[in-house]
Structure formats: structure tokens, C-alpha cells
Amino acid sequence: MSDIFIAAPVPQRLLAPLAQLDAHVTVRESDTPITPAELKAGAANAEVLVVPLSTPVTADIIAAAPKLKLIANYGAGVDNLALDAAHQRGIQVVNTPGVSANAVAELTIALILAWSRRIPEGDQLMRGAGFQAWEPLFFLGHEIAGKTLGIVGLGAIGRSVAAKANALGMHVRYWQRHALSAADEASLNVQYAALDDLLAVSDFVSLHVPLVPGTHHLINAAKLIEMKPTSVLINVARGPVVDESALLTALQQKQLGGAALDVYEHEPQVTAGLKALPNVILTPHIGNATVEARDAMAGLIADNIVAYFNHQPLRYTV
């Protein structure tokens, strides 16, 4: 009988189909992150390994799992996996792209609105001293209608953000390695701009690129200087896409209006100093943390594991 090791609690949408397989399924039920030693022990006899995207699967762990044939990453990214080591062993790797695009896009818009209308600050005020009276100049924020949103990376998430931003009356520009056709741009109501130009004109800059060597510190000190002193940086992509030390300096020196971060360069740690800034919103990597998205992700993994045991082609192989 084959062993399936699942390194974190998962929805029943993933577990129920596995019960029909001729396999022994072990789920690590603790909510605390699994340690490398625990993961190595759990994967030692596994033919299938399921891990959340926050769990590194190193070459050392792969080497200690001689029966391993399939790694399923519970997440769209794969920067936590030693892909070269897996491929050298002939281990198939799958992930869960696409299905969480709407959830991440909704959070992106939520962060833009929360920052613009100072919602976290208002909540803290009301939990403390409260306010004295309605006044014409009290607690002013900004409307986002008519503002320019610059989207860095117009994949599934970026396109969903663009559609929502358009519905809210924002002007949308985008940058990625290759511009879309004129017809596609017209259908999405977006306009291509070189990255430097996008940074210079955008009121909000939202990051939606994968973490690959070419995007590490894509937003660094030099790029932050190009942004308007009133603009806001939104990162719901991967933490190391932003040089957080440079971001902190830019915010402290008022080179930038603010930031909203859902991911962090040294996750789960937050760069010292960011928490003290009132113009920064911090959320705990909840981009696709919706029941709908996590169930859809679980369904993709379950379908791939069932397909593997039935000797059928897998979807979303990396």
C-alpha cells in the first residue's frame, strides 16, 4: 500500500477523494509549522507528499524520501520547492494556480480601500478614545475613483484586479515582460507602460508577479524613488519581490505615501520598523484565505492525486 503524507491540516475536499484510494493517508494535524525534521520523517516512506507553500521541501528532504513520486504544493507558487532535485529524481510536481485569483484580487482591492479610507486607523481610534464630533476636516481619506492603479504582472490575479479597479472608476496601467495585443488591452480596459513610467504616474502600485530570480527585489531603493511621494505600494505577491529595508527607509523619509503588505521578505517576520508606521497596513498572508479558494485548491490537489494513482495525466505540472 502506498503512503500519502500531508504536512498540514487541509479541507475535507482534499481528504474525501483520497479515502477511495488504496493508500494510507497521514495528515499532520497541528496548526504550528512543520519542522524540517518532522517533514523528513513524514516523507521518508511517502509516495505522495502534500505541503503548503510555506513549507520548504529541500534537496535534503527529497534525498531522504526514496519512494517519493509526486509532490503537490498547496499554493500557486513553487519557490519553496527544490525543483531541480525533484526533476533529477523524476518526481512529478504540481501546484494550484488560477483558482485563487479572485480571492487575491479581492484582498488587493480591500487593501487599497482600507488604506485610502484609513479603516485600520479608524478602528483603533474607536477602540480607544473615540471621536468627539463630525467635523469637516476630521479624519480625511481619499476616494479611489479617478486614481491610477499600476499593476505589475497581468496574469490571472492582475487581470482580476484590473476588472475590479475598472468597476470602481480607476485608471489601470500595467507592466509585464510582454505587452498584450491592442485588442486584449481594449477588452481589459488597461494600458501598457514601461515599469519606470508606471511607477512614476501611479497612485497605487500593486504587485502580482511570481518570485523568480528576475523579480527578486524588483522593487528596490532605485524603483521606490521613481514613485510619487503620495503613492502607495501594495504587495500580495511574494515578500522578496520588495526590498523591505529600502521600503522602510522610503516610508520613514516620506518618499512614499504608504504601503499595504500581505507578504514579507523574511516571512513570517516583519521588517523591524514597519509596525510602527501608521501609514502601513499589515495582513498575515491571507491573499487566498477564503473558504472558496482553499476548497478549490484542495480539489485540484485531490484530482491530481487520484489521477496519479489511476495512471492518468496530471494537471498543472511544474
Side-chain angles (χ1 to χ4, degrees), residues 79 152 175 177 195 207-223 235 237-246 264-267:
D79 47 279
V152 179
W175 172 84
R177 286 180 298 174
L195 181 57
L207 307 178
H208 303 285
V209 293
L211 178 60
V212 296
T215 61
H216 183 268
H217 283 189
L218 177 68
I219 304 301
N220 53 29
K223 295 301 183 186
N235 189 10
R238 288 291 181 269
V241 172
V242 176
D243 181 343
E244 280 188 6
S245 177
Y264 305 92
E265 184 174 2
H266 308 291
E267 195 164 311

Side-chain angles (χ1 to χ4, degrees), residues 14-297:
L14 196 163
L15 297 177
L18 305 188
Q20 310 303 316
L21 301 175
D22 184 22
H24 179 259
V25 179
T26 300
V27 181
R28 183 179 182 272
E29 297 290 355
S30 174
D31 289 328
T32 60
I34 192 169
T35 66
E38 289 176 300
L39 182 60
K40 182 180 287 188
N45 294 309
E47 187 172 338
V48 176
L49 174 63
V50 180
V51 294
L53 60 81
S54 58
T55 297
V57 180
T58 63
D60 182 50
I61 289 171
I62 290 173
K67 299 179 182 178
L68 192 58
K69 299 296 183 183
L70 174 64
I71 300 173
N73 211 38
Y74 202 123
V78 290
D79 47 279
N80 59 313
L81 307 179
L83 293 177
D84 287 345
H87 291 163
Q88 288 172 8
R89 279 266 308 276
I91 297 170
Q92 297 189 82
V93 177
V94 295
N95 64 343
T96 60
V99 293
S100 61
N102 182 68
V104 179
E106 284 186 356
L107 180 68
T108 302
I109 297 298
L111 290 173
I112 291 172
L113 287 167
W115 193 94
S116 299
R117 299 306 304 270
R118 303 173 63 184
I119 292 172
E121 291 179 77
D123 178 78
Q124 289 301 310
L125 175 67
M126 294 309 299
R127 294 174 188 273
F131 72 106
Q132 301 302 311
W134 185 97
E135 297 176 1
L137 299 181
F138 174 68
F139 219 78
L140 298 182
H142 292 277
E143 298 179 17
I144 66 172
K147 301 298 192 299
T148 297
L149 170 62
I151 297 177
V152 179
L154 202 68
I157 296 172
R159 292 182 182 214
S160 186
V161 171
K164 293 169 173 54
N166 275 313
L168 292 168
M170 302 186 80
H171 306 297
V172 181
R173 298 197 179 193
Y174 76 98
W175 172 84
Q176 57 187 13
R177 286 180 298 174
H178 304 290
L180 300 176
S181 68
D184 284 343
E185 286 188 353
S187 68
L188 294 168
N189 195 23
V190 298
Q191 180 181 353
Y192 179 83
L195 181 57
D196 293 345
D197 294 336
L198 180 146
L199 296 175
V201 302
S202 296
D203 299 296
F204 297 88
V205 174
S206 186
L207 307 178
H208 303 285
V209 293
L211 178 60
V212 296
T215 61
H216 183 268
H217 283 189
L218 177 68
I219 304 301
N220 53 29
K223 295 301 183 186
L224 290 167
I225 289 174
E226 296 177 359
M227 296 175 66
K228 297 195 294 186
T230 55
S231 62
V232 180
L233 180 69
I234 313 289
N235 189 10
V236 295
R238 288 291 181 269
V241 172
V242 176
D243 181 343
E244 280 188 6
S245 177
L247 174 61
L248 176 65
T249 299
L251 290 165
Q252 290 173 332
Q253 296 181 357
K254 301 188 185 306
Q255 297 171 356
L256 203 64
L261 308 176
D262 185 51
V263 291
Y264 305 92
E265 184 174 2
H266 308 291
E267 195 164 311
Q269 283 74 38
V270 178
T271 295
L274 286 174
K275 293 181 181 180
L277 299 176
N279 58 342
V280 175
I281 297 176
L282 308 171
T283 52
H285 201 152
I286 56 172
N288 60 24
T290 65
V291 171
E292 295 83 358
R294 295 288 170 86
D295 274 356
M297 295 162 73

